[in-house]
């Protein structure tokens, strides 16, 4: 698919079996002048924007708030967006539309959240004319035929949606069903996020390492097609590092509390290591936010900590191993400078380098991961090096050197200092006879939104128009067409 699109050869694109046998009608979805949308759902955030742009204009948390109703407990009010879910409203709880596997868990709420992501910042719904707002209507029955069709929010925009490499067939069909029936999209395409990340890096063949919030995945891509049987994944991603920090803070002497921003009304500066001097917010009985809200707010603090303090040990060797000069690498790490961090309540200290390295070392070396009764240690096969080796073992032997020479690093959780250097060392040691080459953007935006950017490029190509699944094709073949066309 890559080469057919890049070379702009309609016949070779058709040869992939993914293109329509009939050229698109300009009246069907705008021909070459379409304003296609790209929707990239993830566990942490959902990204949306217009094809052809550099970055998504709408970035909304995949988390949503729930406020129970006094009169109808089963019908809780749902809140979407940063401005709503970060306010400590009475009894508010926080949930996520995605499962920890990176697939949709609650389709009804997911459809509402995705629609909010698109319409709130990209395709604002058209206001009802004052003359027909219901106040000036004559007292007579109104014909409702056609009203539902007129209210479709995306009736003028083809939609390219991303998915994981392990998305189930029923979920793929549900995606096109929501786009076509709920939103009225004139055309649709479903693309694997690993393929799009490779596309964004200009690689038709690549081994894509995607480190997100809930999952780290390894996706081999060959000539623009995913090698599905060789896709591997594990939960040692961004949330795993957050849990490691929680265990690290709890085991410190004294334990380090995580007090989120919403509980602080005022604070006074204190010296490093001194007790916090802050005024804390209180709530009347029965109005306290749900514990899930506090956990969500604590994760925001941990994200700040990860971005400013956590570093990857870059060797030589692993953190739990021996140094070339004698002794252990742990002793060497203790000699490295620390980094300061201040908690929202004003408590601060210089965090030693060993703690900064230890928080993420479990991703590379399962023996160094912290654990307790609620957080069991990872297995050896869940580490990133083991995942890559497992993925490579399931592809053709002749293809392995080419994949190792085109490793694409993407995902916000890959932005730790030293991550790519450490991975390079690990893979070169595991495959000494092969040249290992990383492709990792030095721009945070490109690393964070790799799959969305790939979708933006793809949907903006003139040669891609022949691949859209049109509304007419959907009506003729049903949701199952997505399995046949979007390989």
């Amino acid at each position: 698919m890559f080469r057919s699109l890049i070379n702009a050869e309609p016949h070779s694109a058709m040869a992939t079996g993914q293109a329509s046998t009939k050229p698109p009608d300009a009246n069907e979805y705008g021909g070459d002048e379409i304003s296609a949308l790209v929707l990239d759902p993830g566990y942490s955030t959902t990204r949306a924007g217009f094809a052809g742009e550099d970055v998504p204009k709408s970035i909304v948390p995949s988390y949503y708030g729930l406020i129970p109703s006094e009169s109808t407990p089963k019908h809780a009010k749902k809140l979407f967006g940063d401005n709503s879910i970060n306010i400590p409203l009475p009894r508010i709880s926080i949930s996520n539309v995605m499962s920890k596997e990176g697939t949709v868990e609650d389709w009804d709420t997911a459809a509402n959240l995705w629609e909010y992501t698109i319409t709130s910042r990209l395709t604002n719904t058209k206001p009802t004319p004052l003359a027909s707002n219901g106040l000036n209507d004559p007292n007579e029955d109104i014909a409702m035929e056609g009203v539902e069709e007129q209210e479709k929010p995306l009736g003028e925009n083809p939609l390219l949606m991303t998915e994981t490499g392990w998305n189930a067939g029923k979920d793929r069909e549900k995606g096109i069903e929501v786009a076509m029936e709920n939103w009225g999209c004139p055309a649709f395409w479903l693309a694997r996020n690993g393929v799009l990340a490779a596309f964004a890096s200009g690689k038709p063949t690549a081994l894509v390492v995607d480190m997100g919030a809930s999952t780290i995945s390894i996706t081999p891509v060959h000539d623009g097609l995913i090698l599905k049987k060789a896709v591997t994944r594990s939960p040692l991603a961004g949330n795993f590092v957050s849990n490691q920090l929680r265990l690290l803070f709890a085991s410190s002497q004294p334990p380090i509390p995580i007090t989120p921003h919403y509980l602080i009304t005022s604070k006074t500066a204190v010296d490093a290591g001194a007790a916090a001097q802050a005024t804390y917010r209180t709530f009347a009985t029965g109005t306290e936010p749900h514990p899930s809200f506090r956990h969500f707010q604590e994760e925001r603090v941990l994200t700040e900590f990860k971005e400013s303090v956590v570093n990857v040990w870059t060797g030589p060797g692993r953190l739990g191993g021996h140094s070339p000069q004698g002794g252990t690498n742990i002793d060497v790490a203790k000699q490295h400078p620390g980094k300061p961090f201040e908690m929202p309540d004003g408590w601060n200290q210089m965090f030693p380098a060993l703690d900064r390295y230890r928080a993420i070392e479990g991703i590379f070396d399962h023996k160094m991961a912290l654990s307790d009764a609620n957080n069991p240690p990872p297995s050896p096969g869940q580490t990133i090096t083991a995942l890559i080796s497992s993925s490579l073992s399931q592809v053709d032997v002749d293809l392995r050197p080419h994949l190792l020479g085109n490793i694409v690093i993407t995902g916000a959780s890959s932005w730790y200092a030293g991550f790519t250097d450490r991975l390079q060392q690990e893979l070169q040691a595991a495959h000494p006879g092969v040249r290992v080459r990383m492709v990792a953007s030095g721009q945070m935006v490109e690393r964070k939104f790799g799959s969305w950017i790939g979708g933006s490029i793809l949907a903006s190509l003139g040669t891609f128009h022949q691949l859209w699944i049109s509304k007419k094709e959907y009506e003729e073949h049903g949701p199952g067409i997505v399995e046949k066309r979007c390989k």
Side-chain angles (χ1 to χ4, degrees), residues 371-487:
S371 62
D372 64 7
N374 298 320
N375 296 276
S379 65
Q382 290 180 321
T383 62
I384 185 171
T385 311
L387 286 177
I388 293 175
S389 297
S390 176
S391 178
L392 290 173
S393 68
Q394 299 178 67
V395 303
D396 189 86
V397 175
D398 296 334
L399 184 59
R400 295 173 191 174
H402 195 33
L403 292 175
L404 284 169
N406 294 275
I407 298 177
V408 174
I409 308 296
T410 188
S413 294
S414 69
W415 192 250
Y416 297 104
F419 180 85
T420 54
D421 293 338
R422 173 65 179 276
L423 186 57
Q424 174 87 29
Q425 293 178 20
E426 292 271 343
L427 293 178
Q428 199 65 70
H431 306 276
V434 182
R435 182 193 175 197
V436 177
R437 183 173 178 269
M438 303 282 178
V439 180
S441 173
Q443 300 292 326
M444 176 58 174
V445 170
E446 295 179 4
R447 189 85 68 88
K448 193 174 183 179
F449 306 130
S451 58
W452 186 92
I453 293 172
S456 175
I457 296 171
L458 189 64
S460 64
L461 294 176
T463 48
F464 180 74
H465 293 176
Q466 60 193 307
L467 299 181
W468 288 112
I469 299 174
S470 68
K471 180 78 169 178
K472 291 182 179 178
E473 291 173 307
Y474 172 78
E475 293 172 348
E476 180 179 352
H477 301 285
I481 191 174
V482 74
E483 281 288 290
K484 299 176 182 178
R485 293 275 297 279
C486 303
K487 301 295 185 180

Side-chain angles (χ1 to χ4, degrees), residues 137-138 140-148 150-151:
D137 293 344
E140 58 185 29
D141 293 337
I142 300 174
M144 296 301 294
E145 293 183 5
V147 171
E148 183 179 352
Q150 295 173 6
E151 294 175 349

